[in-house]
Amino acid sequence: MENLEADIAIIGAGVVGVCCAITLQQAGLRVALIDRDGISEGCSKGNAGHFATEQVLPLATPGLLWKIPGMLLDPLGPVAIRWPYLPRIAPWLMQFMLNTRKAPFEQGADALTSLNEASLPAWLRLLQQTGAEDQLKIDGSVLVFEKDQSFKDYQTTRETLTRHGVNSALLSGDQVREMEPHLSAGIRHGVFFPDTGHTANPHRLTKTLADFFVSNGGRFVQQPVSDLRTLDGGVAFQMGDSQVQVPKLVLATGAWSRSLVKQLTHTSIPLDTERGYHLMLPNDANQLRLPVSSADRRFIMSPMDEGLRLAGTVEFGGLELPANMERAKMLSKHARALLPSLDNTQGECWMGFRPSLPDSLPVIDRVGPQGQVLLAFGHQHLGLTQAALTAELIRDLAHAETPDINLEPFSLGRF
């Protein structure tokens, strides 16, 4: 069996895995980073670039049960289910609906708040270490409303966010357009979240961090991994054509984590995937200064180096069904309604897999007979937001130290 010549291996080179690699390296460990597809080739490449610290509420909100049929029947709606996949996703949906009860919802909101309020400080620490501070701007984001009733209904949500420490300011439609002049006259209200961040190229951000890791002696290996198992004093797995062994392992494999967790821990987890789509409009980067989300249409528009990225539509369809790029293309109709001066609503379509657990909480934990397996996956829509903080928590767990944040809500044992 080959020794990987590393103190710890990380499987998964998305933004969570790359942040873990740097943070563990900075803590003095020899780190090997492994990924089948390369650096930042999944959701870390195609996300909206939004550091969404305001999103402290689980997706399974009280009262959602009665809204789901209408959402699924809307051809331009934010959520869809690929009907051949319905038998597979049904158990996950049942657990999701159980989490719409008040007690689990409040517990989940408290847990997400504990992560999100510490996320941007963790990112600033990481970026200062790597010299990439210019890739994160904390200028805020705007949520816009076209309907008076939806704005009125949102006030209960805003009150809940305020109780959880999320800062926001109410805006009139005119005030929204003062901030973003290209937005439609049909926008009647807005909410500004000043403490959110944005990167104009999430793919470049992750690649920059990975380059820093490698330039400081880290090792990146592009190989598939399989047959994981714990041993006395380590973890063994198949990597390409080789059997390798390492003292410790971090699993940061996102939507592909379910089978790997089963191999390592014999635990079945209710992990599924929200297939997220985006449409990139290459000639419209200057339409917006800040990320703008639509409360009525449930999508986000983000200014990027490469254009204006429209994202937010969700589809439950697993890892194997082909992409339905009509889900991405339909975003152009929504964008045109909010930005009438768009140059062209034809653009590049993309689909990625968000790792989703029914309680909207990630798994951040230390397991295995000697605690040699570290888990960092299931961040759903908040992988970019929580990546740097997750890395600090994994560093603490790797050194058997007690993190400042209570990790019980994120334990594997909750399943």
Side-chain angles (χ1 to χ4, degrees):
M1 186 175 295
E2 178 184 342
N3 189 315
L4 200 54
E5 298 184 355
D7 301 312
I8 191 165
I10 300 169
I11 303 177
V15 67
V16 173
V18 170
C19 287
C20 286
I22 293 176
T23 303
L24 291 167
Q25 182 186 62
Q26 296 285 305
L29 299 179
R30 296 178 302 162
V31 182
L33 180 63
I34 307 164
D35 194 282
R36 175 190 61 192
D37 299 322
I39 302 290
S40 186
E41 288 300 317
C43 281
S44 300
K45 181 178 183 178
N47 64 70
H50 181 43
F51 293 78
T53 54
E54 86 284 13
Q55 294 182 18
V56 300
L57 305 184
L59 297 184
T61 56
L64 181 65
L65 175 63
W66 314 113
K67 301 177 183 178
I68 287 180
M71 293 168 66
L72 294 178
L73 291 172
D74 181 357
L76 294 180
V79 180
I81 295 178
R82 297 288 284 272
W83 296 113
Y85 194 69
L86 182 58
R88 290 277 302 276
I89 194 66
W92 186 97
L93 290 172
M94 291 292 291
Q95 293 189 52
F96 179 83
M97 295 316 302
L98 288 173
N99 281 288
T100 63
R101 294 171 298 163
K102 183 178 180 180
F105 173 78
E106 290 292 343
Q107 291 165 6
D110 289 342
L112 286 174
T113 298
S114 71
L115 294 183
N116 280 11
E117 67 184 8
S119 287
L120 283 181
W123 265 111
L124 292 175
R125 288 190 291 272
L126 179 65
L127 294 174
Q128 287 167 1
Q129 291 172 5
T130 57
E133 299 98 321
D134 62 327
Q135 295 200 43
L136 169 60
K137 298 186 183 302
I138 305 176
D139 294 332
S141 59
V142 183
L143 177 66
V144 299
F145 299 80
E146 298 166 84
K147 300 175 182 176
D148 292 333
Q149 187 61 48
S150 61
F151 180 68
K152 181 179 178 181
D153 293 343
Y154 183 75
Q155 297 316 303
T156 300
T157 299
R158 181 170 176 259
E159 290 170 4
T160 304
L161 292 175
T162 300
R163 287 201 310 272
H164 285 88
V166 175
N167 295 322
S168 64
L170 298 180
L171 303 173
S172 67
D174 289 339
Q175 288 173 320
V176 169
R177 282 179 289 277
E178 286 176 12
M179 297 179 69
E180 296 290 354
H182 294 289
L183 286 172
S184 163
I187 292 172
R188 301 180 63 83
H189 307 277
V191 177
F192 177 59
F193 296 98
D195 302 325
T196 61
H198 179 64
T199 183
N201 194 325
H203 184 49
R204 184 184 67 188
L205 171 63
T206 308
K207 296 278 282 187
T208 298
L209 296 176
D211 289 345
F212 178 88
F213 164 72
V214 172
S215 69
N216 282 273
R219 181 184 178 191
F220 173 67
V221 182
Q222 186 171 340
Q223 289 283 359
V225 167
S226 61
D227 300 326
L228 284 80
R229 62 190 187 280
T230 56
L231 306 171
D232 287 340
V235 179
F237 53 90
Q238 185 77 21
M239 185 178 73
D241 296 328
S242 303
Q243 278 280 333
V244 299
Q245 181 176 347
V246 289
K248 293 180 180 177
L249 179 80
V250 178
L251 203 64
T253 42
W256 287 267
S257 300
R258 183 174 183 170
S259 64
L260 302 180
V261 170
K262 181 73 171 178
Q263 292 172 35
L264 286 167
T265 70
H266 308 292
T267 300
S268 295
I269 56 173
L271 180 73
D272 217 288
T273 177
E274 294 178 41
R275 297 148 63 97
Y277 291 85
H278 86 218
L279 179 66
M280 179 68 86
L281 305 181
N283 300 322
D284 290 296
N286 295 326
Q287 290 276 343
L288 296 174
R289 183 178 63 88
L290 302 174
V292 173
S293 299
S294 168
D296 301 290
R297 300 171 186 272
R298 305 293 181 91
F299 83 114
I300 185 171
M301 304 180 291
S302 292
M304 295 280 180
D305 289 340
E306 302 166 331
L308 184 69
R309 181 167 292 176
L310 316 178
T313 178
V314 167
E315 176 186 67
F316 292 100
L319 295 169
E320 298 174 1
L321 291 175
N324 174 16
M325 290 306 181
E326 293 303 315
R327 296 288 302 168
K329 294 175 183 177
M330 75 178 189
L331 293 170
S332 64
K333 181 175 181 179
H334 290 312
R336 178 72 77 185
L338 298 182
L339 289 169
S341 60
L342 283 176
D343 176 68
N344 188 340
T345 52
Q346 301 296 314
E348 177 189 353
C349 297
W350 175 92
M351 187 270 284
F353 302 100
R354 298 189 187 102
S356 298
L357 290 156
D359 58 4
S360 299
L361 304 180
V363 174
I364 306 171
D365 203 357
R366 180 174 182 254
V367 298
Q370 289 91 39
Q372 68 267 57
V373 177
L374 301 156
L375 305 175
F377 65 86
H379 294 76
Q380 206 151 344
H381 296 254
L382 296 172
L384 177 66
T385 304
Q386 298 169 353
L389 177 64
T390 297
E392 293 184 353
L393 298 172
I394 290 295
R395 175 201 60 204
D396 293 343
L397 294 176
H399 288 91
E401 298 175 353
T402 302
D404 292 335
I405 291 173
N406 175 22
L407 294 185
E408 185 177 353
F410 314 108
S411 72
L412 183 67
R414 72 188 196 265
F415 305 117

